[in-house]
Amino acid sequence: MEAHNRVSGTLAAAVTPLTGADGSVDADGIDAVVDFYARAGLDGILALGTTGEGILLSLDERRFAADEFVTSAHHRLAVIVHCGAQTTHDTVALAEHAASHGAAGVAVIPPPYFTLDAEAIWRHLDAAAQACAPLPFYVYEFAPRSGYAVPIEVIDRLRSTASNLTGLKVSDSPFENVKPYLIPGLDVFIGAEGLIAQGLASGAAGAVSGLAAALPELTIDAVRSGTPEASARAARVRSTIDPFPFQSALKFILQRRGVAIEDAVRAPLLTLNEEQRNALRSLIDDPTGEIASLIAA
């Protein structure tokens, strides 16, 4: 089996820049955000996940964007590509593509809509893992998005059938929902910023954070320090952004940080309206707030 470096530390759940009236994938924008992430000191990115709107893009768009993320990273950052799709056929196609185009790993969330049983979930994830082998494979556990939790028995079975199963991204909360997935021997990345300290104390390998897509300093500090205070600060800032259309808000903050992208998103997600832009602008420019100090630094 070909050797692959294992990823750990702080990863941004990267935004996917879009441009034009049709909201097409913006290759120059991907270059710009990847450069920002590399300069910020992140260890890697998860491309085309929830924050990256991957599930809303066509297969061709996802392949194109994945290639741009990997090419732009130039080995400065590890790029794990989210390949979860509605069907096993499409998921396998995306996983095969990522594996053959320089990704550092593949992550897959089980398909939403149908409530799949353990057998169906295992077959889907095992097919995806085999498609990208020997590239590291990560299960993306996020029950509020898939509509169900991945049973632990599925993870245990995957460990025996998919030799490239390397870990999980677990975006659930509260911590009681995360704890069962902190399995020795698997690299687990915490998704909820407020749970990073607890996760690290229980053996997590790091975090994959939506907040880090625009304000990576907060998540980097939470992971490197491992303190509850740093995790709480990241969660506090995240809570001020969550009331806005999240993906568009992150892109707007990146704009304010000098990254040349638009704040457009793929429908049915909403782009910030002018009232929301003004409110978010006031929030991030507030000299007494925690965001303004980061942007000014």
Side-chain angles (χ1 to χ4, degrees):
M1 177 183 290
E2 180 184 353
H4 291 276
N5 294 328
R6 294 176 79 129
V7 181
S8 62
T10 311
L11 284 71
V15 299
T16 303
L18 304 176
T19 188
D22 60 348
S24 57
V25 175
D26 179 6
D28 290 338
I30 291 176
D31 288 343
V33 296
V34 170
D35 186 62
F36 172 81
Y37 295 149
R39 288 186 287 107
L42 287 160
D43 298 296
I45 59 174
L46 173 68
L48 299 164
T50 304
T51 303
E53 306 170 60
I55 202 76
L56 299 178
L57 305 179
S58 71
L59 293 188
D60 284 343
E61 287 176 318
R62 292 177 72 171
R63 284 187 281 254
F64 173 74
D67 290 349
E68 289 296 325
F69 275 110
V70 170
T71 300
S72 298
H74 291 306
H75 305 293
R76 296 177 294 169
L77 294 168
V79 180
I80 297 175
V81 178
H82 171 245
C83 297
Q86 192 66 56
T87 69
T88 302
H89 177 275
D90 288 352
T91 302
V92 164
L94 291 169
E96 288 176 340
H97 177 270
S100 63
H101 285 72
V106 162
V108 168
I109 192 171
Y113 192 81
F114 293 105
T115 303
L116 303 177
D117 64 14
E119 178 69 18
I121 298 169
W122 169 76
R123 289 190 183 194
H124 179 82
L125 294 175
D126 189 62
Q130 304 302 332
C132 67
L135 198 71
F137 180 76
Y138 300 84
V139 175
Y140 183 2
E141 160 57 30
F142 197 2
R145 295 294 174 267
S146 57
Y148 50 86
V150 177
I152 296 299
E153 66 184 274
V154 169
I155 305 299
D156 291 339
R157 190 174 179 187
L158 272 177
R159 295 187 81 180
S160 65
T161 61
S163 60
N164 57 326
L165 176 65
T166 303
L168 303 91
K169 181 202 174 186
V170 183
S171 293
D172 299 334
S173 61
F175 189 68
E176 288 71 24
N177 294 345
V178 175
K179 192 172 181 180
Y181 297 102
L182 290 161
I183 299 168
L186 293 179
D187 297 336
V188 177
F189 293 88
I190 304 298
E193 289 83 8
L195 301 181
I196 291 172
Q198 285 177 281
L200 292 173
S202 298
V208 176
S209 160
L211 181 69
L215 297 166
E217 299 90 341
L218 291 166
T219 308
I220 290 171
D221 183 45
V223 172
R224 292 184 181 171
S225 72
T227 65
E229 293 78 13
S231 290
R233 184 187 183 205
R236 191 165 58 246
V237 174
R238 172 72 184 253
S239 71
T240 67
I241 300 171
D242 278 340
F244 296 92
F246 187 63
Q247 288 81 0
S248 185
L250 293 175
K251 294 176 184 181
F252 182 81
I253 295 171
L254 285 166
Q255 284 181 332
R256 301 285 291 178
R257 305 198 72 174
V259 181
I261 61 170
E262 301 175 24
D263 63 4
V265 293
R266 179 60 55 88
L269 293 177
L270 295 175
T271 299
L272 294 165
N273 59 35
E274 282 308 307
E275 181 180 354
Q276 290 168 330
R277 285 192 186 97
N278 289 334
L280 185 54
R281 187 180 294 111
S282 297
L283 175 67
I284 62 181
D285 291 346
D286 179 1
T288 66
E290 293 177 298
I291 299 178
S293 62
L294 292 171
I295 293 178

